[in-house]
Amino acid sequence: MRIYNSKLWISDLDETINVLPELDELADNSVMITGCTGLICSAIVDILIRWNEVHDKKIQILAAGRNKNKIIERFYPYSKKNWFVFVPYDAVSEKKLLKIKCTYIIHGACNASPNIIIKEPVETMLSNFLGIKNLLDYAKENAVKRVLYISSSEVYGKKTDNQPYHIDEYGYIDLLNSRNSYSIGKRAAETLCISYADEYGVESVIIRPGHIYGPTAVPSDERVSSAWAYAAASGKEIIMKSNGSQIRSYCYCLDSASAILKVLFKGKNSLAYNISNYESIITIKEMAEILAKSANVNLKVEIPTAIEKKSFNPMNNSSLDATELLELGWKGLFNAERGFSHTIKILKELI
């Protein structure tokens, strides 16, 4: 079954659209979205698709990526609409983007799964930096109104207390650990955005998501919230490889998408915004317990292997302060219990 056949998913989309009056500003305009089949950006595309379904005026969706067939399959049957356009894009390629009208860019393409970061640290770092550079060049040359860069809470590094990270609070990151190619690449990309704004006048805003989850995750996603959700939805026990005491800002994919769209229109130029639903700042263990309860499966603890440990996020506390985002009028609709419950219910329909 396709996700668009899920009544719960459509209901979640409609609820999200109702708190995004800013989408009216996109009518008759175009938005290019990279990483559009990923966990976060596929949710953004689904919101825009659903908006188009219920409005006479349309938003032109430019779905940018390497694999045209994958994009067409993910968004079928809407990928056949005249307002849905595939745009060839590779984050590590120097090839120019097509000369196509584009009002806004949302850049979410990157290696984010821990197993890929460990296997391909070079590609991970280059895609983070070159990917946004190419888009900033495109924005400069084609008078794009605004670029939104999806960064990561990993830019903050290690923290010594349990207070949420504010946007100007940065901790230690080991430069000589290849696992940090992701976080260092994200830091460099953020600075590049600000540099293009200062030197060339290219307007951009930055989003720092916490730990995003939801039914838009692909089965191969090895982030624990995604892997455990698929396991639980399949009736398998959840296997935790730590004591689960690490604190995370979890956020349902549609809450994350609504935050991104809110910042795209209302965020201040050259400012970063944390995405954090204060009702979902919990430990990994608490997250696992919610998933297990939602799917009625067992939770088991095992000792991790050395290879598994290498892929772990080094941050014990990556909770985020979302003051700036809340000041824009954003509010999360899905607390941890509701978001993970909906994830399990929708995935059960899909698998």
Side-chain angles (χ1 to χ4, degrees):
M1 190 184 87
R2 294 183 180 278
I3 197 169
Y4 303 121
N5 297 123
S6 169
K7 292 181 180 180
L8 182 56
W9 181 244
I10 298 302
S11 175
D12 285 354
L13 287 171
D14 288 341
E15 186 176 352
T16 302
I17 288 170
N18 284 338
V19 298
L20 283 173
E22 294 84 4
L23 289 176
D24 292 344
E25 297 181 40
L26 265 182
D28 294 330
N29 285 298
S30 57
V31 55
M32 183 187 299
I33 304 171
T34 74
C36 60
T37 59
L39 169 60
I40 297 175
C41 287
S42 63
I44 296 173
V45 174
D46 282 353
I47 288 172
L48 302 184
I49 285 174
R50 181 62 178 166
W51 191 95
N52 279 349
E53 270 200 300
V54 296
H55 289 80
D56 292 330
K57 290 185 177 181
K58 305 301 179 186
I59 299 167
Q60 188 83 353
I61 301 170
L62 308 180
R66 293 177 295 181
N67 191 325
K68 182 177 182 179
N69 291 334
K70 183 179 179 181
I71 290 174
I72 290 174
E73 170 63 21
R74 167 60 179 83
F75 301 108
Y76 188 84
Y78 304 103
S79 53
K80 300 297 184 182
K81 301 289 186 179
N82 59 9
W83 39 260
F84 190 103
V85 180
F86 169 73
V87 178
Y89 169 79
D90 186 341
V92 295
S93 172
E94 292 289 344
K95 289 179 66 175
K96 295 282 186 178
L97 283 163
L98 295 177
K99 292 291 183 180
I100 187 169
K101 179 186 176 183
C102 177
T103 315
Y104 297 96
I105 294 174
I106 297 174
H107 179 44
C110 71
N111 290 339
S113 193
N115 61 318
I116 298 178
I117 295 171
I118 290 300
K119 292 177 183 177
E120 301 177 355
V122 174
E123 291 81 1
T124 295
M125 193 161 189
L126 288 177
S127 65
N128 272 319
F129 192 79
L130 294 179
I132 188 60
K133 177 189 180 300
N134 293 339
L135 291 172
L136 290 168
D137 284 336
Y138 175 88
K140 180 181 68 170
E141 295 164 5
N142 294 277
V144 171
K145 191 170 183 179
R146 172 170 275 189
V147 177
L148 184 144
Y149 176 58
I150 301 177
S151 185
S152 168
S153 61
E154 287 201 33
V155 300
Y156 289 117
K158 290 185 178 180
K159 192 172 180 62
T160 57
D161 60 48
N162 287 332
Q163 295 302 308
Y165 277 105
H166 190 256
I167 58 169
D168 59 0
E169 184 179 8
Y170 304 102
Y172 171 76
I173 296 179
D174 184 0
L175 304 184
L176 302 183
N177 180 348
S178 65
R179 169 61 178 82
N180 293 330
S181 61
Y182 180 77
S183 50
I184 294 296
K186 288 290 189 182
R187 277 190 174 184
E190 287 194 18
T191 304
L192 192 65
C193 286
I194 305 308
S195 299
Y196 266 74
D198 287 348
E199 187 169 346
Y200 302 120
V202 177
E203 188 163 310
S204 64
V205 283
I206 296 163
I207 277 284
R208 294 171 181 162
H211 290 253
I212 312 304
Y213 66 90
T216 52
V218 297
S220 59
D221 189 340
E222 293 194 4
R223 285 171 285 196
V224 291
S225 57
S226 299
W228 289 351
Y230 268 99
S234 301
K236 301 175 183 176
E237 65 183 8
I238 293 174
I239 301 176
M240 190 166 63
K241 296 296 184 81
S242 72
N243 62 12
S245 62
Q246 304 94 325
I247 301 170
R248 302 289 185 246
S249 282
Y250 289 102
C251 192
Y252 189 53
C253 57
L254 288 179
D255 275 345
S256 175
S258 71
I260 288 167
L261 290 166
K262 185 77 71 174
V263 170
L264 180 67
F265 294 107
K266 299 185 72 174
K268 295 180 181 179
N269 182 37
S270 297
L271 188 64
Y273 293 82
N274 288 332
I275 299 179
S276 181
N277 183 340
Y278 290 157
E279 295 180 337
S280 297
I281 297 179
I282 56 178
T283 65
I284 290 178
K285 182 181 179 182
E286 288 172 324
M287 181 264 290
E289 290 171 341
I290 292 171
L291 281 171
K293 181 180 178 181
S294 297
N296 194 26
V297 298
N298 293 326
L299 172 59
K300 182 180 179 182
V301 179
E302 290 184 357
I303 298 174
T305 66
I307 293 177
E308 287 171 334
K309 279 186 176 181
K310 188 177 180 181
S311 67
F312 287 178
N313 182 333
M315 301 169 70
N316 289 324
N317 172 23
S318 60
S319 59
L320 304 174
D321 182 313
T323 298
E324 289 75 15
L325 178 60
L326 295 174
E327 288 174 349
L328 298 182
W330 178 85
K331 184 180 187 301
L333 299 176
F334 302 86
N335 62 20
E337 288 77 11
R338 186 177 185 223
F340 282 112
S341 173
H342 282 211
T343 298
I344 293 296
K345 289 176 181 178
I346 294 169
L347 287 181
K348 282 185 173 182
E349 296 177 323
L350 299 179
I351 59 181

PDB file of all heavy atoms in Angstrom, residues 243-257:
ATOM      1  N   ASN A 243      22.386   1.843  27.559  1.00  0.00           N
ATOM      2  CA  ASN A 243      21.426   1.968  28.664  1.00  0.00           C
ATOM      3  C   ASN A 243      20.304   2.945  28.326  1.00  0.00           C
ATOM      4  O   ASN A 243      19.357   3.112  29.086  1.00  0.00           O
ATOM      5  CB  ASN A 243      22.134   2.382  29.962  1.00  0.00           C
ATOM      6  CG  ASN A 243      22.796   3.742  29.853  1.00  0.00           C
ATOM      7  OD1 ASN A 243      22.566   4.503  28.917  1.00  0.00           O
ATOM      8  ND2 ASN A 243      23.643   4.067  30.821  1.00  0.00           N
ATOM      9  N   GLY A 244      20.440   3.614  27.168  1.00  0.00           N
ATOM     10  CA  GLY A 244      19.373   4.483  26.687  1.00  0.00           C
ATOM     11  C   GLY A 244      19.215   5.780  27.445  1.00  0.00           C
ATOM     12  O   GLY A 244      18.175   6.445  27.366  1.00  0.00           O
ATOM     13  N   SER A 245      20.256   6.206  28.167  1.00  0.00           N
ATOM     14  CA  SER A 245      20.143   7.414  28.994  1.00  0.00           C
ATOM     15  C   SER A 245      20.362   8.710  28.204  1.00  0.00           C
ATOM     16  O   SER A 245      20.134   9.802  28.732  1.00  0.00           O
ATOM     17  CB  SER A 245      21.166   7.352  30.136  1.00  0.00           C
ATOM     18  OG  SER A 245      22.494   7.326  29.617  1.00  0.00           O
ATOM     19  N   GLN A 246      20.793   8.597  26.950  1.00  0.00           N
ATOM     20  CA  GLN A 246      21.061   9.789  26.143  1.00  0.00           C
ATOM     21  C   GLN A 246      19.770  10.570  25.894  1.00  0.00           C
ATOM     22  O   GLN A 246      18.743  10.009  25.546  1.00  0.00           O
ATOM     23  CB  GLN A 246      21.690   9.396  24.798  1.00  0.00           C
ATOM     24  CG  GLN A 246      22.958   8.562  24.927  1.00  0.00           C
ATOM     25  CD  GLN A 246      22.686   7.062  24.873  1.00  0.00           C
ATOM     26  OE1 GLN A 246      21.662   6.590  25.360  1.00  0.00           O
ATOM     27  NE2 GLN A 246      23.596   6.329  24.265  1.00  0.00           N
ATOM     28  N   ILE A 247      19.856  11.890  26.053  1.00  0.00           N
ATOM     29  CA  ILE A 247      18.688  12.765  25.909  1.00  0.00           C
ATOM     30  C   ILE A 247      18.613  13.287  24.479  1.00  0.00           C
ATOM     31  O   ILE A 247      19.612  13.746  23.920  1.00  0.00           O
ATOM     32  CB  ILE A 247      18.757  13.940  26.898  1.00  0.00           C
ATOM     33  CG1 ILE A 247      18.820  13.416  28.339  1.00  0.00           C
ATOM     34  CG2 ILE A 247      17.559  14.865  26.725  1.00  0.00           C
ATOM     35  CD1 ILE A 247      19.131  14.496  29.350  1.00  0.00           C
ATOM     36  N   ARG A 248      17.425  13.220  23.884  1.00  0.00           N
ATOM     37  CA  ARG A 248      17.239  13.645  22.501  1.00  0.00           C
ATOM     38  C   ARG A 248      15.980  14.511  22.363  1.00  0.00           C
ATOM     39  O   ARG A 248      15.012  14.342  23.103  1.00  0.00           O
ATOM     40  CB  ARG A 248      17.095  12.429  21.576  1.00  0.00           C
ATOM     41  CG  ARG A 248      18.280  11.459  21.622  1.00  0.00           C
ATOM     42  CD  ARG A 248      19.492  12.062  20.953  1.00  0.00           C
ATOM     43  NE  ARG A 248      20.615  11.145  20.871  1.00  0.00           N
ATOM     44  CZ  ARG A 248      21.763  11.298  21.508  1.00  0.00           C
ATOM     45  NH1 ARG A 248      21.924  12.320  22.336  1.00  0.00           N
ATOM     46  NH2 ARG A 248      22.760  10.444  21.340  1.00  0.00           N
ATOM     47  N   SER A 249      16.012  15.419  21.389  1.00  0.00           N
ATOM     48  CA  SER A 249      14.811  16.164  21.007  1.00  0.00           C
ATOM     49  C   SER A 249      14.170  15.435  19.838  1.00  0.00           C
ATOM     50  O   SER A 249      14.589  15.597  18.686  1.00  0.00           O
ATOM     51  CB  SER A 249      15.167  17.603  20.602  1.00  0.00           C
ATOM     52  OG  SER A 249      15.405  18.415  21.720  1.00  0.00           O
ATOM     53  N   TYR A 250      13.183  14.613  20.128  1.00  0.00           N
ATOM     54  CA  TYR A 250      12.496  13.881  19.061  1.00  0.00           C
ATOM     55  C   TYR A 250      11.389  14.746  18.473  1.00  0.00           C
ATOM     56  O   TYR A 250      10.775  15.568  19.167  1.00  0.00           O
ATOM     57  CB  TYR A 250      11.916  12.570  19.600  1.00  0.00           C
ATOM     58  CG  TYR A 250      12.987  11.549  19.910  1.00  0.00           C
ATOM     59  CD1 TYR A 250      13.384  11.319  21.224  1.00  0.00           C
ATOM     60  CD2 TYR A 250      13.613  10.844  18.891  1.00  0.00           C
ATOM     61  CE1 TYR A 250      14.384  10.392  21.509  1.00  0.00           C
ATOM     62  CE2 TYR A 250      14.614   9.925  19.171  1.00  0.00           C
ATOM     63  CZ  TYR A 250      14.993   9.702  20.484  1.00  0.00           C
ATOM     64  OH  TYR A 250      15.989   8.801  20.763  1.00  0.00           O
ATOM     65  N   CYS A 251      11.144  14.552  17.180  1.00  0.00           N
ATOM     66  CA  CYS A 251      10.131  15.357  16.508  1.00  0.00           C
ATOM     67  C   CYS A 251       9.533  14.566  15.353  1.00  0.00           C
ATOM     68  O   CYS A 251      10.265  14.008  14.524  1.00  0.00           O
ATOM     69  CB  CYS A 251      10.750  16.659  15.999  1.00  0.00           C
ATOM     70  SG  CYS A 251       9.545  17.883  15.442  1.00  0.00           S
ATOM     71  N   TYR A 252       8.205  14.499  15.308  1.00  0.00           N
ATOM     72  CA  TYR A 252       7.491  13.814  14.230  1.00  0.00           C
ATOM     73  C   TYR A 252       7.801  14.504  12.908  1.00  0.00           C
ATOM     74  O   TYR A 252       7.947  15.732  12.856  1.00  0.00           O
ATOM     75  CB  TYR A 252       5.997  13.854  14.522  1.00  0.00           C
ATOM     76  CG  TYR A 252       5.115  13.016  13.625  1.00  0.00           C
ATOM     77  CD1 TYR A 252       5.376  11.664  13.422  1.00  0.00           C
ATOM     78  CD2 TYR A 252       3.998  13.567  13.014  1.00  0.00           C
ATOM     79  CE1 TYR A 252       4.543  10.889  12.620  1.00  0.00           C
ATOM     80  CE2 TYR A 252       3.154  12.801  12.221  1.00  0.00           C
ATOM     81  CZ  TYR A 252       3.436  11.465  12.021  1.00  0.00           C
ATOM     82  OH  TYR A 252       2.612  10.697  11.236  1.00  0.00           O
ATOM     83  N   CYS A 253       7.907  13.731  11.828  1.00  0.00           N
ATOM     84  CA  CYS A 253       8.351  14.275  10.546  1.00  0.00           C
ATOM     85  C   CYS A 253       7.490  15.439  10.051  1.00  0.00           C
ATOM     86  O   CYS A 253       8.017  16.393   9.458  1.00  0.00           O
ATOM     87  CB  CYS A 253       8.421  13.173   9.500  1.00  0.00           C
ATOM     88  SG  CYS A 253       6.868  12.269   9.238  1.00  0.00           S
ATOM     89  N   LEU A 254       6.192  15.406  10.312  1.00  0.00           N
ATOM     90  CA  LEU A 254       5.334  16.503   9.856  1.00  0.00           C
ATOM     91  C   LEU A 254       5.496  17.745  10.710  1.00  0.00           C
ATOM     92  O   LEU A 254       5.374  18.873  10.204  1.00  0.00           O
ATOM     93  CB  LEU A 254       3.874  16.054   9.814  1.00  0.00           C
ATOM     94  CG  LEU A 254       3.526  15.078   8.693  1.00  0.00           C
ATOM     95  CD1 LEU A 254       2.068  14.675   8.756  1.00  0.00           C
ATOM     96  CD2 LEU A 254       3.854  15.663   7.318  1.00  0.00           C
ATOM     97  N   ASP A 255       5.782  17.602  12.003  1.00  0.00           N
ATOM     98  CA  ASP A 255       6.121  18.767  12.825  1.00  0.00           C
ATOM     99  C   ASP A 255       7.423  19.387  12.335  1.00  0.00           C
ATOM    100  O   ASP A 255       7.567  20.615  12.272  1.00  0.00           O
ATOM    101  CB  ASP A 255       6.256  18.363  14.295  1.00  0.00           C
ATOM    102  CG  ASP A 255       4.925  18.344  15.033  1.00  0.00           C
ATOM    103  OD1 ASP A 255       3.945  18.907  14.505  1.00  0.00           O
ATOM    104  OD2 ASP A 255       4.865  17.761  16.130  1.00  0.00           O
ATOM    105  N   SER A 256       8.378  18.540  11.986  1.00  0.00           N
ATOM    106  CA  SER A 256       9.643  19.026  11.447  1.00  0.00           C
ATOM    107  C   SER A 256       9.409  19.769  10.134  1.00  0.00           C
ATOM    108  O   SER A 256       9.948  20.859   9.906  1.00  0.00           O
ATOM    109  CB  SER A 256      10.614  17.861  11.237  1.00  0.00           C
ATOM    110  OG  SER A 256      11.796  18.291  10.605  1.00  0.00           O
ATOM    111  N   ALA A 257       8.589  19.193   9.267  1.00  0.00           N
ATOM    112  CA  ALA A 257       8.299  19.811   7.967  1.00  0.00           C
ATOM    113  C   ALA A 257       7.589  21.151   8.143  1.00  0.00           C
ATOM    114  O   ALA A 257       7.896  22.133   7.445  1.00  0.00           O
ATOM    115  CB  ALA A 257       7.456  18.869   7.122  1.00  0.00           C
TER     116      ALA A 257
END
